[in-house]
Amino acid sequence: MASFTGEVIAKLGDEEYCLALGLRGVAKLQEQYGANLDPIQNLGQEEGELPDFSVLLRIVDVALERHHPDAPGDVAEMLLAADMALPGKLLTAAFPEQKGAGKAGKGKARR
């Protein structure tokens, strides 16, 4: 059996949360955002443009469900506020073989 990918440890105060964006999590996101995950693929917004926080928050919400199904709803929000790169880290962990995955909130490209 292949090892599980997609796990990221996030701290909030004294608590540690194991966030997991495995196949089930990706499938949930696909149900909501389509098979190609277009809103997630296009999170690398232009400079000065606000990211779609509902998408970022949903990624963290889904990742919390596997190991912390009873976590209060504000935990995902607090984790995201503490680390806005968290959705990108989760996507990179879920798809480690795809370079460039998880660029949520990336800055303007160098020239």
Side-chain angles (χ1 to χ4, degrees):
M1 186 169 133
S3 63
F4 183 77
T5 60
E7 289 187 345
V8 172
I9 302 297
K11 283 190 86 169
L12 187 61
D14 293 336
E15 293 288 323
E16 267 193 358
Y17 293 91
C18 182
L19 306 176
L21 192 59
L23 293 177
R24 185 179 311 273
V26 172
K28 283 184 179 188
L29 293 171
Q30 284 179 316
E31 285 176 2
Q32 188 168 358
Y33 299 116
N36 291 326
L37 299 173
D38 289 335
I40 293 171
Q41 296 286 336
N42 299 321
L43 281 175
Q45 70 278 355
E46 296 294 321
E47 189 174 332
E49 187 178 311
L50 283 176
D52 187 337
F53 290 107
S54 66
V55 174
L56 298 175
L57 189 56
R58 183 65 181 141
I59 293 168
V60 178
D61 274 334
V62 168
L64 263 172
E65 291 175 0
R66 182 181 203 97
H67 296 296
H68 308 280
D70 298 326
D74 62 341
V75 169
E77 181 180 0
M78 291 187 293
L79 287 169
L80 181 59
D83 183 1
M84 289 298 293
L86 188 55
K89 291 174 185 177
L90 287 162
L91 291 168
T92 298
F95 302 105
E97 70 283 350
Q98 290 186 4
K99 290 192 184 264
K103 296 288 185 179
K106 70 179 179 183
K108 195 174 183 180
R110 288 184 179 174
R111 294 183 188 226

